[in-house]
Amino acid sequence: MGDYATPSRGLFRSAAIGLVAASAFGSLAAAEELTIATVNNSDMIVMQKLSPQWEAATGHTLNWVVLEENVLRQRVTTDIATNGGQFDIITIGAYEAPIWGAAGWLKQLDDLGEGYDYDDIYESVRNGLSANGNLYAVPFYAESSFTFYRKDLFEAAGIEMPDQITYAQLAEYAKKLHDPDNGVYGTCQRGKAGWGENMAFVGPMVNTFGGRWFDMDWNPQLDTQPWKDAVNYYVDLMNSYGPPGASSNGHNENRALFADGKCATWVDATSAAGFIYNPNESTVADKTDFTAAPINVTDKGAGWFWAWALAIPNSSGKEAAAKSFLEWSTSKDYVKLVGETEGWVAAPPGTRMSTYANEMYVSAAPFAQTVEASILAANPADATLEPVPYTGVQFVAIPEFQGIGTYVGNQISAALAGTISVDEALANSQSFAVREMTKAGYIK
Amino acid sequence: MARAVPARRKMLTTILGWGVGLTIFFPILWTFLTGFKTEAEAIASPPSFLLFDWTLSAYDAVNQRTDYLKHFWNSVVISFGSTGLGLLIAVPAAWAMAFVPAKRTKDILMWMLSTKMLPPVGVLIPIYLIFRDAGLLDTRLGLVIVLTLINLPIIVWMLFTYFREIPVDILEAARMDGAELRSEILFVLVPMAVPGIASTLLLNVILAWNEAFWTLNLTAAKAAPLTAFIASFSSPEGLFYAKLSAASTMAIAPILIVGWFSQKQLVRGLTFGAVK
Amino acid sequence: MISPAVALLLCWMLVPLGLTLYFSFLRYNLLMPGMEQWTGWTNYYFFLTDPSFWDAIRNTLTLVIGVLIITIIGGVLLALLLDQEMWGRNIVRLLVIAPFFVMPTVSALVWKNMFMNPVNGLFAQLSGLLGLEPFDFFAHAPLSSIIAIVSWQWLPFATLILLTALQSLDREQLEASEMDGAGSINRLLFIVLPHLARAITVVILIQTIFLLSIFAEILVTTNGGPGTATTNLTFLVYAQSLLQFDVGGGSAGGVIAIVLANIVAIFLMRMIGRNLDA
C-alpha cells in the first residue's frame, strides 16, 4: 500500500493568518497535504477559490482534482472500490453515499464537533446521506427540481401560471411560446444520456405518470403503460417545442441556454436558481420566475432529490485534516463567507435551515422559499404511486442502478434523436434490465 | 524541379494550397482567437473574427483555477521519459529482429502491433491494482512505465524498419574488426540510424503527450499532466467557450511548436520503411 | 542473442494481457467487493449475446473504413498539391500537419462545442446567417460527425507519409512519360499511384491500429449514443467496465476485442503484407 504521508511545507503559513475562520479547528498538529476530488460545478469552484483561507488557518494544503461529473464518478469509484487511496476527500452524491457507506468504504462523519450543528441540516438531506443510521457524507449543497419559466414571455402571451402546473399544461404553454425564429424554444429539458442527466428528468416524470422502476419482486417495469405514456410525451414535447440538439443537452447545456434567454420553460435543479438570478451570469435574471415541478396522475415523486456531499474514503490516512476541511466547507460560517464574498445569491443552497432563516439570503434570493418547499416535499422513501422495494426519487439506491440507468438513458436519448422508436427503446431497456437483474441475482 | 514552372500555374497552386492549408488549420486558429474573447463575445452571433476586444480574462480565469506549470512539467517528464525508456528497450530488440534472422520475426512484430488494438480500458483494473500495490498510482514513474508499454510496439516497429535498411555488410565489417556487440550497436548502428531514431522519438513524444486515457485514470493531483488539466474545463456550468479555448491553446501549443520546429526530422524518418 | 531483448518485450506485453484473461473468467463487479468467484465462460456468453455487440462491431468497422477512405484519398490529393511549386510551401505544410499534434480530447471538445453545437456552434451560426435550419450533427449524423473529426486528426499523418513517398518518385520517369504524351490522369494512375502503393499500405496498417481503439473522441462527443449509434468495441468495453463496473464482463470484452484485432491483423497481412516485404 502506498502511503504518501509526507510532512508539508505549509506550516509557516499557519502562523501568518490565524483569524480568518470563526470556528475552532480540531488539530493543528501536523500539516498535511490533502488530495480532494470534486465536480466542476460553480459552487465547487467557489469552494476552491475560498479554500486558501482554510489552508492559511490550518496549515494544511489541498491538491485539487476538478473533473466533469461523469469522469469524476468513474474516477472516484475506481479508486474507492479498489482501495486505491489516491483521494483524501471526495465529492459524491445522494446515490453513492448510502451504498458506499454501507459497503464500508467511507469514514463515519458523526463527530465533526460541537459547533457543527447537525440539527441545522435538513433531516431529509441527512437521511439521504446516511446508511444504518450513520452519516457518511456531509452535504455541500442539496437540490430538488422545479420549473423555471420566463414571466415576461408568459405575460406577453397572456398565460397565467397555475399554482401547480401539470405536464399537459407544460406542453400547452411550450407550444404557445415556441418561437425558434426569434431564438426562443418552448421548452428545454435534459436529453443527454446518463442516469444523472436525462434520467433525472425522465425518472420523476415517470413517477408522476404512475410508473416505477421495479415491482416488489424486483421485476423491471420499463415496458409498462406509464413508462410508454411518459416517454412518448417527452419525445413529442422535445421534438415539437425543444431546441435543436436536445439529445445532447445535459444540465449545463440547458442552464447556458436558459441563461442566454433561449428557453421559455425549463424543469431542472433548484440549485441552478442562484445562477439564473445572478445578473453577472444570466441575461434573464429579472425575467425568470419559478413554480413546483409539473405533475400528472399523482404528485408523488414529481421533484427529484439530490445532494452533492463531501466524504472521506476509508483508504485515506489523513482523517483528522480531512474532517477539519469538511467541517469548514459545510459549516454555517462557510455559507456566510460565500454570501459575503460572492454575493448572497450564490450561497450554497438546500442544506441548512439557518441559510433560509437568514434575512440577507432570503432577500437576495427570491426563490428561497420555493426551493425550501421543494426540498422538503421530495421524499425518497415514498416517491411512487405503487409500492416499490427501493428508495430514491430519480434513482434506485442499489449498485446495479448505475449500469441500468445509463443504458436506459442511452435508449431514451436514441428515441429522442429519432434513431429508434419509443417502443423499441423501452423494449430494449426492459430486456437489458432483466438481464442485469438476473446476472446480479435479484431475479431467481 | 528541373524546369521552371509557369508563373500562372504557380499562382494557382499557391492560392489552392493556401486555401486548403488555412481550411485545415482553421479550427486551431479559431480556438486560439476565441481564447482572447470574453465569454459573451465567444458565442456572439454573428461571430467576430479579428475585430473584437482582445482580452486575457479567459487566461486569467484558467490560471486562477489550475496550476498550468505543474501539469506542463508532468507532461514533459512523462512523454520524454516514456519515449526514452521505450528506446532503451526497443533498440536492442529491434536490432535483434533486423539482423538476427528468425523465422517468426514478422509474426511477432505483427502480434505486438495488434496488442495496440486492445482497448486500454480492458486492462485498467489489473493495472490499477498492480499500481496500488506498488505505490505507483499518481506518480510520474507509473505513467512513464505504462506509456512505454503502450507505445513500445510502434517504437520497435519503426526502429525495425530503419535498421533493416542498413546494409548488413557494414555491421559485419565492424564485427570482423573485433567490435563487441554492445559497441556494434552503440557506435555503428545507432549513428547510422539517427534520423530514424530521431523521428521515432518525436512521434512517440507526440503520442505520449496526447494520451488521455491512462494519464487521466492513473493520476490524481501530483502527476496529472495536461490532459487532466483540459478535463477540468470540459463541461462546466455556464458559458465556457473562451475558457475552454484558452486552456486548449495552453495544452496544445507546446507540442505544436515542438512539432513545427522538428517537422523536417519527423518527416524524414516517418516512412515506416515505406520508401525505398 | 535474440532472446533477451525480445523476451523482455514479450513479458512486458504479456503481463497485463494475462491478468485480463484471468479476470475475464471471474464474476467480478467493482461495486460488490468480496463476491469474486470463478464463473467459466459466463462473461463471454453475456458479452457476445449483448444486443449492442453487433452494433459495436459494425460501428467499429464503419469508423475505421470511413476514416481510411477519407484520409487516403485526401492524403493523396494533398500530397500531390504540396509537391507542387508554390509560394510559401513550407508554411502551408505547417498548416496542414498541425491537426496531428492536437490532443484527441481537445480536438473533440473544440469540434463538439465550438463548431458542431447546434445552437452556439460556428456551423449553426453560419447556417443561421444563411437562413437555414441548424443541423444537429451528433443527433442526426453521429457516426459521420465522429468520422469527420477523426479524419481531420489523421489526414496530416497520411499526407506526410504519402508526401515523403511522392518525393522519392523518379522525376525523370515522370517527365519522360509527359514527353510521350501521357495525360495527367494517366500519369497519376499508372506511375504515381503504383509508386505510392507501399506507402498507402503503411498508412492503412498504422491507422487501423489506432482507429480500432478510438475512444476519447466518442467519450467527449456522444458517449456512444444516441442509443448505440456510436458505440464501438472499445467504448462497449468501457461501458461494461467503468459504467457498469463489471470488470469480469469488461475483461471478457477486452479479450474478444484483441482476438478480433488479431483477425484484422492477419487479414491485413494477407491482403497487403506482401507490399511490405518487397
Side-chain angles (χ1 to χ4, degrees):
Chain A
M1 278 293 309
D3 185 358
Y4 311 108
T6 47
S8 154
R9 309 123 212 159
L11 258 172
F12 69 96
R13 282 208 230 159
S14 62
I17 318 167
L19 27 96
V20 178
S23 61
F25 293 102
S27 71
L28 284 168
E32 306 259 27
E33 204 174 330
L34 302 175
T35 302
I36 172 168
T38 193
V39 63
N40 62 356
N41 288 353
S42 39
D43 293 282
M44 310 303 185
I45 288 166
V46 170
M47 169 167 75
Q48 187 185 357
K49 203 166 112 190
L50 296 175
S51 65
Q53 300 199 8
W54 174 81
E55 294 179 306
T58 60
H60 302 307
T61 47
L62 292 167
N63 289 318
W64 290 85
V65 181
V66 184
L67 295 166
E68 184 210 342
E69 180 174 342
N70 289 333
V71 183
L72 174 89
R73 181 169 283 126
Q74 170 223 311
R75 190 67 196 77
V76 166
T77 310
T78 312
D79 192 66
I80 202 163
T82 56
N83 202 16
Q86 287 201 58
F87 304 108
D88 301 300
I89 300 169
I90 54 178
T91 306
I92 57 177
Y95 167 73
E96 288 92 359
I99 299 178
W100 291 5
W105 291 346
L106 302 174
K107 302 235 195 262
Q108 283 186 30
L109 298 175
D110 298 303
D111 55 346
L112 290 185
E114 289 292 302
Y116 188 71
D117 198 355
Y118 286 95
D119 292 334
D120 187 41
I121 301 173
Y122 291 109
E123 197 185 349
S124 58
V125 176
R126 257 184 297 147
N127 287 343
L129 301 172
S130 301
N132 312 324
N134 297 318
L135 190 65
Y136 285 103
V138 284
F140 187 71
Y141 70 81
E143 63 184 34
S144 180
S145 56
F146 66 0
T147 310
F148 296 78
Y149 66 97
R150 289 277 301 282
K151 56 184 177 195
D152 56 330
L153 299 177
F154 270 66
E155 236 162 69
I159 308 170
E160 180 136 3
M161 182 59 92
D163 289 339
Q164 172 62 62
I165 186 175
T166 65
Y167 274 102
Q169 287 166 330
L170 178 70
E172 186 193 323
Y173 302 158
K175 183 180 177 182
K176 280 191 191 146
L177 299 171
H178 189 58
D179 187 8
D181 292 338
N182 290 316
V184 175
Y185 306 102
T187 192
C188 297
Q189 308 298 349
R190 298 179 179 194
K192 185 183 186 175
W195 69 263
E197 285 284 7
N198 61 348
M199 293 317 290
F201 174 73
V202 172
M205 187 173 71
V206 168
N207 291 340
T208 88
F209 272 68
R212 53 183 174 168
W213 279 91
F214 301 101
D215 69 7
M216 287 305 284
D217 298 318
W218 291 106
N219 293 307
Q221 303 291 306
L222 299 166
D223 52 359
T224 53
Q225 201 57 41
W227 274 88
K228 286 182 184 162
D229 293 344
V231 177
N232 270 313
Y233 166 87
Y234 164 75
V235 169
D236 285 347
L237 176 78
M238 295 313 292
N239 284 338
S240 312
Y241 318 119
S247 63
S248 39
N249 286 349
H251 170 78
N252 291 341
E253 287 82 358
N254 282 327
R255 177 193 283 227
L257 284 173
F258 195 91
D260 200 26
K262 294 207 155 73
C263 315
T265 57
W266 178 37
V267 179
D268 214 305
T270 52
S271 61
F275 181 92
I276 296 296
Y277 273 78
N278 185 344
N280 298 330
E281 305 274 8
S282 152
T283 61
V284 294
D286 53 346
K287 300 177 191 141
T288 304
D289 215 335
F290 42 79
T291 184
I295 59 166
N296 193 25
V297 300
T298 171
D299 61 354
K300 276 187 171 185
W304 72 61
F305 171 77
W306 187 253
W308 278 116
L310 300 175
I312 306 172
N314 239 340
S315 50
S316 165
K318 300 164 189 167
E319 188 176 347
K323 277 188 173 163
S324 146
F325 181 76
L326 263 49
E327 187 194 341
W328 175 77
S329 60
T330 61
S331 65
K332 287 186 240 180
D333 291 319
Y334 177 82
V335 175
K336 205 186 284 170
L337 180 66
V338 176
E340 280 157 9
T341 57
E342 306 293 308
W344 276 97
V345 73
T351 56
R352 286 181 170 273
M353 295 177 212
S354 54
T355 309
Y356 290 84
N358 186 319
E359 286 295 319
M360 310 274 269
Y361 181 67
V362 176
S363 62
F367 45 83
Q369 252 95 45
T370 318
V371 170
E372 191 183 20
S374 303
I375 288 174
L376 290 176
N379 184 357
D382 181 25
T384 51
L385 190 60
E386 292 176 89
V388 289
Y390 58 84
T391 62
V393 181
Q394 78 280 24
F395 57 80
V396 177
I398 56 171
E400 292 77 12
F401 178 73
Q402 285 205 51
I404 296 173
T406 302
Y407 183 88
V408 176
N410 220 332
Q411 290 295 313
I412 290 179
S413 166
L416 179 58
T419 41
I420 55 175
S421 73
V422 170
D423 284 350
E424 272 176 86
L426 291 177
N428 291 345
S429 301
Q430 173 74 9
S431 67
F432 181 87
V434 170
R435 261 167 70 98
E436 290 300 306
M437 295 304 276
T438 311
K439 226 179 0 174
Y442 286 84
I443 302 175
K444 299 290 183 297
Chain B
M1 306 262 170
R3 304 166 306 162
V5 178
R8 215 174 80 92
R9 184 170 157 190
K10 191 169 171 181
M11 180 68 104
L12 281 177
T13 43
T14 302
I15 292 171
L16 189 63
W18 277 87
V20 171
L22 285 173
T23 308
I24 290 177
F25 186 69
F26 183 73
I28 299 174
L29 178 65
W30 187 245
T31 307
F32 177 76
L33 293 175
T34 307
F36 293 101
K37 295 179 178 176
T38 60
E39 290 296 354
E41 183 78 52
I43 59 159
S45 180
S48 47
F49 187 62
L50 287 169
L51 300 172
F52 54 86
D53 288 330
W54 290 59
T55 164
L56 285 171
S57 61
Y59 282 88
D60 285 343
V62 168
N63 280 322
Q64 219 173 54
R65 278 185 45 195
T66 42
D67 185 351
Y68 172 74
L69 281 179
K70 182 186 82 179
H71 294 294
F72 168 78
W73 180 242
N74 283 336
S75 273
V76 171
V77 171
I78 290 162
S79 50
F80 282 91
S82 68
T83 305
L85 182 60
L87 283 174
L88 228 63
I89 299 171
V91 168
W95 175 88
M97 287 174 170
F99 299 116
V100 185
K103 246 199 207 149
R104 300 242 142 242
T105 302
K106 195 95 190 239
D107 292 338
I108 293 176
L109 262 175
M110 223 41 219
W111 180 80
M112 266 172 36
L113 275 178
S114 76
T115 61
K116 257 207 84 72
M117 305 184 210
L118 171 79
V121 58
V123 284
L124 174 64
I125 301 299
I127 300 244
Y128 205 92
L129 294 173
I130 295 173
F131 270 42
R132 177 197 64 188
D133 295 339
L136 286 173
L137 286 174
D138 200 18
T139 61
R140 293 191 287 242
L141 177 64
L143 280 184
V144 165
I145 292 173
V146 154
L147 291 189
T148 304
L149 173 64
I150 298 299
N151 284 331
L152 205 51
I154 292 286
I155 302 185
V156 172
W157 197 46
M158 275 183 85
L159 290 176
F160 169 74
T161 57
Y162 291 114
F163 289 175
R164 221 178 33 168
E165 283 167 32
I166 293 169
V168 188
D169 311 351
I170 299 182
L171 294 183
E172 274 167 4
R175 217 169 297 166
M176 297 291 203
D177 293 345
E180 276 176 53
L181 182 65
R182 203 171 43 159
S183 44
E184 177 188 326
I185 292 185
L186 266 182
F187 299 116
V188 184
L189 178 67
V190 169
M192 288 175 66
V194 160
I197 293 179
S199 81
T200 309
L201 183 134
L202 280 167
L203 184 69
N204 278 281
V205 166
I206 295 166
L207 290 175
W209 186 279
N210 291 340
E211 205 287 325
F213 180 78
W214 294 107
T215 49
L216 211 56
N217 275 295
L218 296 178
T219 63
K222 298 188 193 75
L226 286 169
T227 43
F229 166 79
I230 269 297
S232 63
F233 293 98
S234 74
S235 171
E237 294 173 341
L239 304 175
F240 66 101
Y241 285 12
K243 285 189 277 289
L244 171 66
S245 299
S248 299
T249 306
M250 289 160 84
I252 63 179
I255 200 76
L256 187 62
I257 291 166
V258 168
W260 273 351
F261 273 110
S262 56
Q263 197 233 141
K264 282 235 163 64
Q265 287 73 27
L266 183 65
V267 175
R268 192 145 52 119
L270 200 64
T271 61
F272 295 94
V275 182
K276 272 262 157 123
Chain C
M1 194 46 231
I2 179 170
S3 9
V6 180
L8 178 66
L9 202 60
L10 288 182
C11 282
W12 197 250
M13 330 229 65
L14 277 174
V15 171
L17 212 61
L19 274 167
T20 307
L21 202 61
Y22 170 67
F23 281 123
S24 73
F25 290 105
L26 289 188
R27 178 195 143 99
Y28 182 10
N29 189 312
L30 266 192
L31 298 175
M32 284 164 275
M35 306 253 298
E36 296 85 32
Q37 50 182 314
W38 189 263
T39 58
W41 296 94
T42 318
N43 288 325
Y44 289 90
Y45 170 78
F46 272 109
F47 195 87
L48 288 171
T49 55
D50 188 331
S52 316
F53 177 68
W54 291 107
D55 289 345
I57 299 272
R58 208 185 52 229
N59 291 333
T60 308
L61 291 177
T62 315
L63 187 60
V64 171
I65 293 169
V67 175
L68 281 179
I69 290 174
I70 294 175
T71 50
I72 287 171
I73 293 179
V76 169
L77 294 177
L78 267 176
L80 287 171
L81 179 64
L82 290 178
D83 196 36
Q84 308 290 317
E85 291 262 315
M86 68 174 81
W87 286 292
R89 181 162 65 173
N90 286 337
I91 299 175
V92 171
R93 190 189 291 180
L94 290 183
L95 296 180
V96 169
I97 64 171
F100 186 60
F101 304 121
V102 176
M103 279 175 205
T105 17
V106 169
S107 91
L109 278 170
V110 164
W111 278 101
K112 176 197 179 187
N113 291 303
M114 290 164 58
F115 288 88
M116 292 173 165
N117 182 297
V119 177
N120 286 327
L122 196 60
F123 292 151
Q125 294 194 336
L126 289 182
S127 57
L129 291 181
L130 297 173
L132 301 170
E133 276 284 297
F135 185 72
D136 184 3
F137 290 91
F138 291 112
H140 297 126
L143 195 55
S144 314
S145 306
I146 289 179
I147 289 177
I149 295 174
V150 176
S151 299
W152 178 75
Q153 286 167 208
W154 282 96
L155 187 59
F157 178 80
T159 307
L160 277 183
I161 292 199
L162 293 170
L163 185 61
T164 317
L166 198 60
Q167 281 166 347
S168 72
L169 179 60
D170 188 353
R171 301 283 146 172
E172 283 171 17
Q173 192 192 355
L174 212 55
E175 278 164 25
S177 68
E178 206 173 345
M179 300 284 189
D180 293 345
S184 36
I185 304 271
N186 276 337
R187 264 182 292 149
L188 177 68
L189 282 183
F190 296 110
I191 301 180
V192 176
L193 281 185
H195 178 79
L196 289 183
R198 209 174 135 87
I200 291 176
T201 309
V202 168
V203 171
I204 292 178
L205 193 66
I206 300 279
Q207 286 199 19
T208 306
I209 290 167
F210 283 94
L211 297 177
L212 277 174
S213 52
I214 285 281
F215 172 73
E217 292 84 345
I218 297 175
L219 180 75
V220 170
T221 54
T222 63
N223 249 306
T228 52
T230 53
T231 298
N232 68 354
L233 210 49
T234 308
F235 197 86
L236 188 64
V237 175
Y238 164 79
Q240 193 98 37
S241 340
L242 290 185
L243 295 177
Q244 294 158 32
F245 293 102
D246 177 0
V247 178
S251 301
V255 173
I256 290 168
I258 198 165
V259 169
L260 293 176
N262 271 289
I263 293 174
V264 172
I266 292 168
F267 180 74
L268 275 178
M269 287 302 289
R270 287 283 131 78
M271 291 290 288
I272 56 177
R274 268 167 286 138
N275 263 335
L276 290 177
D277 287 326

